[in-house]
Amino acid sequence: MSWERHITIKSPKEIEIMRIAGRINAEALQAACDIARPGVTTADLNAAAEEVLKKYGVYSPFKNYPGPYPYPASTTVSVNDELVHGIPGSRKLKEGDIVSIDCGTVYEGFVADSAVTIAIGEVSPEIQRLLEVTEQALYAGIAKMLPGNRVGDVSAAIQQFVESRGFFVTREYTGHGVGRQMHEGPQVPNYGVPGRGMVLRPGMTIALEPMVLIGSPYTRVLEDQWTVASQNGLPTAHFEHTVAVTEHGPLILTLLEDGSTPGRNHRKPV
């Protein structure tokens, strides 16, 4: 990918700008989570997030993102077997669904990118475990985002956590550097070998995003040419934070003002 070579080191001031972008992004995700219940459409979730972006006078880099055709929304909303890039529309949520909401925010020229997966009402123990493992895998990867570690250390931590619990990581979609562009280097797969890959340096900012599947790692692209779903039709989950590498350890930039992750009210404590 062309953006793989484009790596930017952010100054402390730039990281603070990205932290503001991240808080707005988290607030937008929380607004979508707050209205998520049976009967609400995926377009409604997108509209709730867009209201927050509008309030702050910012925009999402997702909208009009180039692809098979310009992406039409500010968020991606992916339900059940849909892993990523689901287009918001008229689909109504049902009791027992799980929905992944991914949003980006551009503030003063810098991008924040994060995602959560939430349950709509009660879900089966297996699906609850899928959500827990995916979120915990994100934090396992974040813990390895230390100066001097390599990208492979982060990727391997995610892969080992997920696979040791009987699930699968996608091989086709990855985390990525983020900054003035939504996709910068380095590319950070959800699988890898410890000690391999680029060395992490203070000032790197990366959107880390485990995408986890049941039974198989294989995916397919749906007829809308954007939505990616599990090949076997089983549920999937996706969690993401934008994280800065600092001398003092990883700094999560996409938390709410109180330091929590959006969607907690829809998930049992992990």
Side-chain angles (χ1 to χ4, degrees):
M1 295 185 182
S2 60
W3 49 265
E4 174 64 14
R5 295 187 296 275
H6 182 62
I7 296 168
T8 60
I9 300 299
K10 286 76 176 181
S11 68
K13 182 178 180 180
E14 289 171 332
I15 289 174
E16 279 305 310
I17 292 171
M18 290 185 68
R19 202 170 189 178
I20 296 169
R23 286 173 180 161
I24 296 170
N25 204 64
E27 190 175 324
L29 285 178
Q30 186 61 55
C33 291
D34 283 344
I35 68 162
R37 62 181 62 88
V40 170
T41 69
T42 55
D44 293 334
L45 303 185
N46 180 72
E50 285 189 334
E51 279 299 311
V52 173
L53 302 183
K54 183 179 177 182
K55 179 178 78 171
Y56 287 100
V58 299
Y59 66 95
S60 171
F62 292 13
K63 200 157 194 177
N64 296 315
Y65 193 83
Y69 50 89
Y71 188 76
S74 296
T75 64
T76 70
V77 184
S78 309
V79 182
N80 295 336
D81 64 318
E82 297 170 354
L83 181 66
V84 287
H85 304 162
I87 299 174
S90 60
R91 180 175 185 169
K92 291 184 177 180
L93 300 178
K94 305 187 307 294
E95 178 80 17
D97 282 345
I98 57 172
V99 56
S100 298
I101 311 164
D102 192 349
C103 187
T105 294
V106 181
Y107 173 78
E108 293 191 5
F110 286 91
V111 178
D113 184 9
S114 58
V116 296
T117 304
I118 60 173
I120 307 302
E122 292 296 317
V123 295
S124 70
E126 181 184 32
I127 301 307
Q128 178 62 34
R129 188 164 170 270
L130 171 69
L131 300 183
E132 292 176 358
V133 167
T134 308
E135 185 171 17
Q136 289 171 338
L138 172 59
Y139 289 99
I142 289 172
K144 294 293 185 180
M145 290 184 61
L146 302 170
N149 275 359
R150 293 180 177 269
V151 165
D153 298 320
V154 179
S155 299
I158 293 170
Q159 180 184 11
Q160 290 166 6
F161 191 94
V162 170
E163 292 182 352
S164 69
R165 286 151 179 84
F167 295 105
F168 293 82
V169 292
T170 182
R171 301 298 179 109
E172 299 162 291
Y173 304 93
T174 74
H176 51 90
V178 64
R180 290 194 178 275
Q181 304 295 322
M182 190 170 74
H183 290 122
E184 299 183 353
Q187 190 175 21
V188 185
N190 292 311
Y191 65 96
V193 178
R196 300 275 182 90
M198 184 173 295
V199 175
L200 299 178
R201 292 178 286 158
M204 284 183 169
T205 47
I206 295 171
L208 200 61
E209 48 182 326
M211 303 169 218
V212 177
L213 305 97
I214 299 171
S216 161
Y218 301 113
T219 61
R220 60 194 177 98
V221 178
L222 302 188
E223 289 183 5
D224 66 17
Q225 301 180 69
W226 273 104
T227 306
V228 177
S230 61
Q231 193 175 87
N232 60 16
L234 294 178
T236 66
H238 173 212
F239 283 83
E240 177 182 23
H241 273 308
T242 297
V243 185
V245 179
T246 81
E247 294 284 5
H248 307 291
L251 177 64
I252 301 174
L253 304 177
T254 43
L255 296 172
L256 292 163
E257 190 69 35
D258 65 2
S260 66
T261 298
R264 280 290 178 186
N265 52 321
H266 279 267
R267 303 196 302 282
K268 297 175 182 177
V270 177

